[in-house]
Amino acid sequence: MSKRRGLPTALILLTAVTLVSAALVRDGEGQALQGEYKVGVLEPLTGALAFEGKRHLEGMEIMRDMINERGGVMGKKLVFAVGDAVDPTAAASEANRLITREGVKIITGTFSSRLCGAASETAARHNVIYWETSCVDPRFNKRGLKNVFRTEIDATGFGWYNIEFIAKHLAPRFSLKPNELKIAFLSEDSSYGQGVTEAARDRARRDFGMQEVALEYYNFQTINDFTPIIAKLKQLNPDVVHHIAYSNDAPLFWRQSREQNFIFKALVHAGATGYGGADFGKATGADGNGPFALLEPGPGFRVEALRPEGQKIEREFRDAVQKKTGSYPLGGHQLAAGGLWVLKLVLDQAKTDELEKFRSAVMALDLPVGSVINGWGIKFSETGQNANERVQHYMLQWQNGQLVTVWPEEFSTLRAKWIPLGAWDQRK
Amino acid sequence: MGAVPQLVISTVLLGGIYALIAVGLTLIFGIMRVVNFAHGEFLMLGMYLAFWAFALWGLDPYVVLVGAVPIFFGVGLVTYALVMRGVVKASHNVQIFTTVGLSTALQNAALVVWTGDFRVVRPWHSGVVIRLGEAAFNLSQVVAFAVAVLFTAALVAFMKWTRAGRIMRATAQDVEAATLMGIDTDRVYRLAWAIGLVCVGIAGVLMSPLYSVYPTAGLQFVLLAYVVVVLGGLGDMMGALLGSLIVAAVEVIGSYLVGSAWKEVIYFVLFIAVLVFRPAGLFGQRGSETLGA
Amino acid sequence: MIRDGFLLDGLILILLWGAVSGAWNVAGGYAGQVSLGHSAFFGIGAYSAALLATRFHQSPWLGLLVGALLATVAGLVIGYLSTRLKGPYFGLATIAFSQVLLIVASRWRGFTSGSEGIPVPFRPGLWTLGFQSKVAWVYLILGLAVTVYLVARYLETSRPGYQLAGVREDEDAAEALGIPSRRLKVAAVAASAALTSVCGGLWAQYVGFVDPFYVFSVDLSVRFALNSIIGGIGTAIGPFVGSLLITSLETYLRATFSDFKAGLIGIYLIIYGGLLIVVVRFVPQGLVGWLGERLRAVGRYARA
């Protein structure tokens, strides 16, 4: 099968191609067409994560238009250069393209933890700012990199809020002290599931002494039947099921729990997939009442609870989303748009994208909860992480086919129902 | 022990679903001696067929089931003509990469055309629960199981007692002798391929009320379908049924005792072990010569 | 000389995927052992480099070495399997093997950080394999590519290589001639594994993040085979040609169809699936072989 090409020929060919390409004289296309400021946006737009990535991009675009109606950034019109980060190699490669070909000095995105690590590494090597809006890997900002910032809480924040809700809001209503509460941890096995679950376990144990009765991880791609797990859990009789699920396993678990008549007092999840996604409602319909999901604000949100400037921008954002998509903002929209809005505030303050001044502006921002959209506040730590306490998160609950805001109570007109959940056919 | 009845029922019902997927795969293995790496994608297509019929015209999956048989038979004939003809006599590389390429193409076609969104089929009976003592299960599971058993029985009967079936078996056993006898082996392979796809296609339709529908849904089941087929012996349909029960038992008992996260390791290791030490499967006789060694 | 980072990155990826496909080709093309689980070795290499750098604070160069050693051991195991199983069944076994490694890596939180993967730190310097300049990476990966190419050429021109070809074409005949076919096959798979692992280690340093669901994925394994088959399985330059075609098309499409048209990018994967089917049947010698035949036909015509 081998061809008599001869070693010299092929080697010369290969080396020639390499040197010629490496020698091409090309500058990256410069920044600043007069009056425009270009920011790179990196999201998974193809592949399995695309449905969420596209929602993030949509949120970014809506917010970009809003920003441009309000004078743009640093007095210039905000425009995007978009990259598709389908896997870690593509994330690094596209980040590189955005920096070298599109000439961006700031990259934002990226939704998934497996992508933000690689992309931000590339950005760091080029001294480009990486402005993360969603990925939750706790190590993202602990690598000693001066150019990475994150507007959203990390996985420990998710775990923190979930346990906060369970301990302070649910336990008393079950007439239980937190350290009397039996909690079962069920989780899909990806980076997201592991990160949030371990953080929740940690806080449940350390801060409240909750009794962990079970820890079950599974692969969301191959889980076909929850009945063995449910059988096990029934025997352990937890009060609360802390279930971090993806999109195909949440309806399966919920349906099979109902079939098996597995009674628990509450189910709590975190994030925009699984119980926090619209797919769950479509899959379960009227049977889906009850589960809680930690998310950005949904219907029932008391905009009046925000500070005046926060109310204004929040209302305008909702109107814009309604006009563009015909519905309520979804988690992906809110995270992306929230992050972009904060970026605008920083750039307006710093008036430059030069790293040192940018960093100073970031650290100087100090806004209380309720100041910007989603009811967030802003206070970045030295490592570039927006503080968990400022990034207000909310517990939503499935009520009659809709995910509505129920906690914290000062932020909502609606209240959590079915505490405890009780019998399966009693939840109307 | 309170959980035992439930675990047994879960094993049986899950095994039924796996059997439906595996029986088509083992038929293709057995007659064509070809590994269909795209089997999971045809399962996915079956699920999407049920979804679109439901979403567009409100058709119940069990109605679609009837139509799925001729549809997937047709799909089988078309894909055979376009892609699979002559693969049996071709080199190993061709055998492997033809279906691998088909798998890649189908998965990504579904992703491009239907997007990665998770779809659901919710017919009126999707919430019906059947209780049997201390155990409970979904009506759709029982139907899938019943169809699996019936279909396998029908296939076994077909292979054993009909002329076409005997011709197929003869071709599988000794292709040269079959050709000498005047059998058109190409038609045999085409029939085997088409029947195999019908099996997995209706499996997809039957599973649509139970699982979410998305482009990579095939991956959820296809790897363990290979395990089932190897355990049961290539080409052995009763073996596929038994192999399905074994794999389901490993999954269910493994999940209950050890935890779900490691269950795949258990059956993958079992898979490699059977391939190496008992290539004819736990029960089978045939197939070992083509595995190697 | 001023460099364009985008083209340099594209070049690095072409060479890297070409090298790893070439490594696959040692087992798949030259030894005839088609593995669909080579990502197992890639992942071993990536994790070794990442773990040695982060957990043991050693140089990633050492990580490459450790990875190669571990992969060789794994390669010996897979090689043994290759002596027991033929064709597609070997392929299935290799898939199972790579998935077992995936599960172990994603569950062993204490050692590998589980599903969250390992961020690979960038520390400038030669010893830490931290090259700021893309040009340095080009030369490094070029060196890797040349090494893989030379190994393939060795297999085309040496005695063990001829024996291996004999085993590939007709194992029974080769055995009858006294060729130690088992040993050769196992050696080829082990060598292929070691080379693949080095590629994985360098990849980890370049991209900066090791995610178990990516580095051990079946998609990646198929990708290695795809490049080789389309370019020319069993030729030394074939995998690089295949990688050139596929990687550059992919990069170009991604750059052109960004934002919401991105759904169209997936079309190239459909095309490659179809191309795989067509090439493996009608152009089994791949693009390189086909070109070679055309050129020689022209040569014959010219001489006539």
Side-chain angles (χ1 to χ4, degrees), chain C residues 105-144:
Chain C
S106 69
R107 293 257 70 237
W108 199 355
R109 265 185 86 84
F111 186 54
T112 62
S113 305
S115 298
E116 290 181 284
I118 303 181
V120 181
F122 176 76
R123 297 189 203 103
L126 179 61
W127 188 234
T128 52
L129 244 181
F131 301 137
Q132 188 73 304
S133 133
K134 283 249 178 334
V135 181
W137 273 102
V138 171
Y139 288 124
L140 178 64
I141 303 295
L142 182 61
L144 175 70

Short mmCIF file of all heavy atoms in Angstrom, two decimals, chain C residues 105-144:
data_model
loop_
_atom_site.label_atom_id
_atom_site.label_comp_id
_atom_site.label_asym_id
_atom_site.label_seq_id
_atom_site.Cartn_x
_atom_site.Cartn_y
_atom_site.Cartn_z
N ALA C 105 -11.92 8.29 34.68
CA ALA C 105 -11.42 9.67 34.79
C ALA C 105 -12.48 10.61 35.33
O ALA C 105 -12.18 11.52 36.10
CB ALA C 105 -10.92 10.16 33.43
N SER C 106 -13.73 10.42 34.92
CA SER C 106 -14.76 11.37 35.33
C SER C 106 -15.29 11.09 36.73
O SER C 106 -15.99 11.91 37.31
CB SER C 106 -15.92 11.35 34.33
OG SER C 106 -16.62 10.14 34.41
N ARG C 107 -14.98 9.92 37.29
CA ARG C 107 -15.48 9.64 38.63
C ARG C 107 -14.41 9.77 39.71
O ARG C 107 -14.71 9.88 40.87
CB ARG C 107 -16.05 8.21 38.67
CG ARG C 107 -17.29 8.01 37.85
CD ARG C 107 -18.55 7.97 38.69
NE ARG C 107 -18.86 9.26 39.22
CZ ARG C 107 -19.00 9.52 40.52
NH1 ARG C 107 -18.86 8.57 41.41
NH2 ARG C 107 -19.29 10.72 40.91
N TRP C 108 -13.17 9.73 39.31
CA TRP C 108 -12.09 9.72 40.29
C TRP C 108 -11.76 11.14 40.71
O TRP C 108 -10.69 11.67 40.44
CB TRP C 108 -10.87 9.06 39.65
CG TRP C 108 -9.86 8.57 40.62
CD1 TRP C 108 -9.87 8.73 41.99
CD2 TRP C 108 -8.67 7.85 40.31
NE1 TRP C 108 -8.76 8.14 42.54
CE2 TRP C 108 -8.00 7.60 41.53
CE3 TRP C 108 -8.10 7.39 39.12
CZ2 TRP C 108 -6.80 6.91 41.59
CZ3 TRP C 108 -6.90 6.72 39.18
CH2 TRP C 108 -6.27 6.49 40.40
N ARG C 109 -12.69 11.75 41.40
CA ARG C 109 -12.57 13.16 41.73
C ARG C 109 -11.31 13.46 42.49
O ARG C 109 -10.69 14.50 42.32
CB ARG C 109 -13.78 13.59 42.58
CG ARG C 109 -14.89 14.20 41.80
CD ARG C 109 -15.96 14.69 42.73
NE ARG C 109 -15.70 16.02 43.23
CZ ARG C 109 -16.02 17.13 42.58
NH1 ARG C 109 -16.55 17.05 41.39
NH2 ARG C 109 -15.79 18.31 43.12
N GLY C 110 -10.93 12.54 43.35
CA GLY C 110 -9.78 12.80 44.19
C GLY C 110 -8.50 12.96 43.40
O GLY C 110 -7.62 13.73 43.78
N PHE C 111 -8.40 12.27 42.29
CA PHE C 111 -7.13 12.29 41.56
C PHE C 111 -7.22 13.16 40.30
O PHE C 111 -6.35 13.97 40.06
CB PHE C 111 -6.76 10.85 41.19
CG PHE C 111 -5.41 10.72 40.57
CD1 PHE C 111 -4.29 11.23 41.20
CD2 PHE C 111 -5.25 10.09 39.34
CE1 PHE C 111 -3.03 11.11 40.62
CE2 PHE C 111 -4.00 9.97 38.77
CZ PHE C 111 -2.89 10.48 39.40
N THR C 112 -8.28 12.95 39.54
CA THR C 112 -8.36 13.63 38.24
C THR C 112 -9.31 14.82 38.26
O THR C 112 -9.58 15.40 37.22
CB THR C 112 -8.87 12.66 37.16
OG1 THR C 112 -10.19 12.26 37.54
CG2 THR C 112 -7.98 11.46 37.03
N SER C 113 -9.82 15.18 39.42
CA SER C 113 -10.84 16.22 39.54
C SER C 113 -12.13 15.84 38.84
O SER C 113 -12.95 16.69 38.51
CB SER C 113 -10.37 17.57 38.97
OG SER C 113 -9.19 17.98 39.55
N GLY C 114 -12.31 14.56 38.58
CA GLY C 114 -13.57 14.07 38.06
C GLY C 114 -14.01 14.74 36.78
O GLY C 114 -13.21 15.06 35.90
N SER C 115 -15.31 14.94 36.68
CA SER C 115 -15.89 15.49 35.46
C SER C 115 -15.47 16.93 35.22
O SER C 115 -15.57 17.42 34.10
CB SER C 115 -17.41 15.45 35.52
OG SER C 115 -17.86 14.14 35.64
N GLU C 116 -15.02 17.60 36.27
CA GLU C 116 -14.70 19.02 36.09
C GLU C 116 -13.43 19.22 35.29
O GLU C 116 -13.16 20.31 34.83
CB GLU C 116 -14.59 19.70 37.45
CG GLU C 116 -15.95 19.82 38.12
CD GLU C 116 -15.88 20.51 39.45
OE1 GLU C 116 -15.43 19.88 40.41
OE2 GLU C 116 -16.26 21.69 39.51
N GLY C 117 -12.67 18.16 35.12
CA GLY C 117 -11.50 18.27 34.27
C GLY C 117 -10.36 19.03 34.93
O GLY C 117 -10.45 19.44 36.07
N ILE C 118 -9.30 19.20 34.18
CA ILE C 118 -8.09 19.83 34.74
C ILE C 118 -7.69 21.04 33.90
O ILE C 118 -7.39 20.90 32.71
CB ILE C 118 -6.93 18.83 34.75
CG1 ILE C 118 -7.33 17.59 35.54
CG2 ILE C 118 -5.69 19.48 35.35
CD1 ILE C 118 -6.23 16.57 35.62
N PRO C 119 -7.70 22.22 34.50
CA PRO C 119 -7.15 23.37 33.78
C PRO C 119 -5.63 23.26 33.78
O PRO C 119 -5.04 23.03 34.83
CB PRO C 119 -7.60 24.58 34.62
CG PRO C 119 -8.34 24.04 35.78
CD PRO C 119 -8.17 22.57 35.83
N VAL C 120 -5.03 23.38 32.62
CA VAL C 120 -3.58 23.23 32.52
C VAL C 120 -2.94 24.61 32.59
O VAL C 120 -3.18 25.45 31.73
CB VAL C 120 -3.19 22.55 31.19
CG1 VAL C 120 -1.68 22.38 31.11
CG2 VAL C 120 -3.88 21.20 31.08
N PRO C 121 -2.16 24.85 33.62
CA PRO C 121 -1.62 26.21 33.80
C PRO C 121 -0.56 26.54 32.77
O PRO C 121 0.16 25.66 32.30
CB PRO C 121 -0.99 26.15 35.20
CG PRO C 121 -0.65 24.72 35.39
CD PRO C 121 -1.64 23.91 34.63
N PHE C 122 -0.50 27.81 32.43
CA PHE C 122 0.48 28.27 31.46
C PHE C 122 1.61 28.95 32.20
O PHE C 122 1.42 30.00 32.80
CB PHE C 122 -0.18 29.23 30.48
CG PHE C 122 0.79 29.83 29.50
CD1 PHE C 122 1.26 29.07 28.44
CD2 PHE C 122 1.23 31.13 29.64
CE1 PHE C 122 2.14 29.61 27.54
CE2 PHE C 122 2.11 31.68 28.74
CZ PHE C 122 2.58 30.91 27.68
N ARG C 123 2.77 28.32 32.21
CA ARG C 123 3.93 28.97 32.84
C ARG C 123 4.99 29.13 31.78
O ARG C 123 5.52 28.14 31.27
CB ARG C 123 4.45 28.08 33.98
CG ARG C 123 3.42 27.90 35.09
CD ARG C 123 4.02 27.21 36.29
NE ARG C 123 2.98 26.58 37.09
CZ ARG C 123 2.72 25.28 37.09
NH1 ARG C 123 3.44 24.46 36.36
NH2 ARG C 123 1.74 24.80 37.82
N PRO C 124 5.30 30.38 31.43
CA PRO C 124 6.23 30.62 30.33
C PRO C 124 7.59 29.97 30.58
O PRO C 124 8.09 29.96 31.70
CB PRO C 124 6.38 32.15 30.31
CG PRO C 124 5.21 32.65 31.05
CD PRO C 124 4.80 31.60 32.02
N GLY C 125 8.12 29.40 29.55
CA GLY C 125 9.44 28.78 29.71
C GLY C 125 9.53 27.51 28.90
O GLY C 125 8.53 26.90 28.56
N LEU C 126 10.73 27.10 28.61
CA LEU C 126 10.93 25.89 27.82
C LEU C 126 10.64 24.65 28.64
O LEU C 126 9.97 23.73 28.19
CB LEU C 126 12.37 25.87 27.28
CG LEU C 126 12.73 24.62 26.45
CD1 LEU C 126 11.83 24.56 25.23
CD2 LEU C 126 14.19 24.70 26.01
N TRP C 127 11.11 24.67 29.87
CA TRP C 127 10.99 23.48 30.70
C TRP C 127 9.53 23.19 31.04
O TRP C 127 9.14 22.06 31.22
CB TRP C 127 11.81 23.68 31.98
CG TRP C 127 11.92 22.45 32.82
CD1 TRP C 127 11.59 22.34 34.14
CD2 TRP C 127 12.38 21.15 32.43
NE1 TRP C 127 11.82 21.06 34.59
CE2 TRP C 127 12.31 20.30 33.56
CE3 TRP C 127 12.84 20.62 31.22
CZ2 TRP C 127 12.69 18.97 33.52
CZ3 TRP C 127 13.21 19.28 31.19
CH2 TRP C 127 13.13 18.47 32.34
N THR C 128 8.75 24.27 31.11
CA THR C 128 7.34 24.08 31.44
C THR C 128 6.47 24.01 30.18
O THR C 128 5.25 24.07 30.26
CB THR C 128 6.83 25.25 32.30
OG1 THR C 128 7.18 26.48 31.63
CG2 THR C 128 7.46 25.23 33.67
N LEU C 129 7.13 23.88 29.06
CA LEU C 129 6.38 23.80 27.79
C LEU C 129 5.40 24.96 27.66
O LEU C 129 4.27 24.79 27.23
CB LEU C 129 5.59 22.48 27.71
CG LEU C 129 6.00 21.53 26.59
CD1 LEU C 129 5.13 20.28 26.62
CD2 LEU C 129 5.85 22.19 25.25
N GLY C 130 5.85 26.11 28.06
CA GLY C 130 4.98 27.28 27.94
C GLY C 130 5.52 28.22 26.89
O GLY C 130 6.32 29.09 27.17
N PHE C 131 5.07 28.05 25.69
CA PHE C 131 5.56 28.92 24.61
C PHE C 131 4.55 30.02 24.38
O PHE C 131 3.39 29.76 24.07
CB PHE C 131 5.75 28.13 23.32
CG PHE C 131 6.72 27.00 23.45
CD1 PHE C 131 6.45 25.77 22.90
CD2 PHE C 131 7.91 27.18 24.15
CE1 PHE C 131 7.35 24.73 23.03
CE2 PHE C 131 8.81 26.14 24.30
CZ PHE C 131 8.53 24.91 23.73
N GLN C 132 5.01 31.23 24.50
CA GLN C 132 4.13 32.37 24.26
C GLN C 132 3.85 32.50 22.78
O GLN C 132 2.76 32.82 22.36
CB GLN C 132 4.80 33.64 24.79
CG GLN C 132 3.90 34.85 24.77
CD GLN C 132 2.82 34.80 25.84
OE1 GLN C 132 2.02 33.87 25.93
NE2 GLN C 132 2.78 35.81 26.67
N SER C 133 4.87 32.26 21.99
CA SER C 133 4.76 32.51 20.56
C SER C 133 4.18 31.30 19.84
O SER C 133 4.56 30.17 20.07
CB SER C 133 6.15 32.84 20.01
OG SER C 133 6.39 32.12 18.84
N LYS C 134 3.26 31.59 18.95
CA LYS C 134 2.65 30.50 18.19
C LYS C 134 3.66 29.85 17.26
O LYS C 134 3.55 28.67 16.94
CB LYS C 134 1.48 31.05 17.36
CG LYS C 134 0.22 31.32 18.13
CD LYS C 134 -0.86 30.33 17.73
CE LYS C 134 -2.16 30.49 18.49
NZ LYS C 134 -2.14 31.06 19.79
N VAL C 135 4.62 30.62 16.81
CA VAL C 135 5.60 30.07 15.87
C VAL C 135 6.38 28.94 16.53
O VAL C 135 6.69 27.93 15.91
CB VAL C 135 6.55 31.17 15.37
CG1 VAL C 135 7.55 30.61 14.40
CG2 VAL C 135 5.75 32.28 14.72
N ALA C 136 6.70 29.13 17.82
CA ALA C 136 7.41 28.07 18.54
C ALA C 136 6.58 26.80 18.55
O ALA C 136 7.08 25.70 18.35
CB ALA C 136 7.72 28.53 19.96
N TRP C 137 5.27 26.96 18.76
CA TRP C 137 4.39 25.79 18.73
C TRP C 137 4.39 25.14 17.36
O TRP C 137 4.35 23.91 17.24
CB TRP C 137 2.96 26.18 19.12
CG TRP C 137 2.74 26.15 20.59
CD1 TRP C 137 2.69 27.20 21.44
CD2 TRP C 137 2.56 24.98 21.39
NE1 TRP C 137 2.48 26.77 22.72
CE2 TRP C 137 2.40 25.42 22.72
CE3 TRP C 137 2.51 23.62 21.12
CZ2 TRP C 137 2.19 24.54 23.78
CZ3 TRP C 137 2.30 22.73 22.17
CH2 TRP C 137 2.15 23.21 23.48
N VAL C 138 4.41 25.96 16.32
CA VAL C 138 4.40 25.38 14.98
C VAL C 138 5.61 24.47 14.81
O VAL C 138 5.49 23.33 14.33
CB VAL C 138 4.43 26.49 13.89
CG1 VAL C 138 4.64 25.87 12.52
CG2 VAL C 138 3.13 27.27 13.91
N TYR C 139 6.76 24.96 15.22
CA TYR C 139 7.97 24.14 15.04
C TYR C 139 7.93 22.89 15.90
O TYR C 139 8.35 21.81 15.48
CB TYR C 139 9.22 24.98 15.32
CG TYR C 139 9.49 25.98 14.23
CD1 TYR C 139 9.62 27.34 14.51
CD2 TYR C 139 9.61 25.58 12.90
CE1 TYR C 139 9.85 28.26 13.50
CE2 TYR C 139 9.83 26.48 11.89
CZ TYR C 139 9.94 27.82 12.18
OH TYR C 139 10.16 28.73 11.17
N LEU C 140 7.40 23.03 17.12
CA LEU C 140 7.31 21.87 18.00
C LEU C 140 6.40 20.80 17.41
O LEU C 140 6.74 19.62 17.32
CB LEU C 140 6.79 22.30 19.37
CG LEU C 140 6.60 21.17 20.40
CD1 LEU C 140 7.92 20.52 20.74
CD2 LEU C 140 5.95 21.72 21.67
N ILE C 141 5.21 21.21 16.99
CA ILE C 141 4.27 20.25 16.44
C ILE C 141 4.76 19.73 15.10
O ILE C 141 4.52 18.57 14.74
CB ILE C 141 2.87 20.89 16.29
CG1 ILE C 141 2.39 21.41 17.63
CG2 ILE C 141 1.88 19.87 15.75
CD1 ILE C 141 2.15 20.35 18.68
N LEU C 142 5.49 20.57 14.37
CA LEU C 142 6.08 20.10 13.12
C LEU C 142 7.05 18.98 13.41
O LEU C 142 7.10 17.96 12.71
CB LEU C 142 6.78 21.26 12.40
CG LEU C 142 7.39 20.92 11.04
CD1 LEU C 142 6.31 20.46 10.07
CD2 LEU C 142 8.11 22.14 10.48
N GLY C 143 7.84 19.16 14.48
CA GLY C 143 8.77 18.11 14.88
C GLY C 143 8.02 16.82 15.19
O GLY C 143 8.42 15.72 14.79
N LEU C 144 6.92 16.97 15.91
CA LEU C 144 6.10 15.80 16.23
C LEU C 144 5.60 15.14 14.94
O LEU C 144 5.68 13.92 14.77
CB LEU C 144 4.91 16.23 17.09
CG LEU C 144 3.89 15.16 17.43
CD1 LEU C 144 4.47 14.14 18.39
CD2 LEU C 144 2.64 15.80 18.04
#
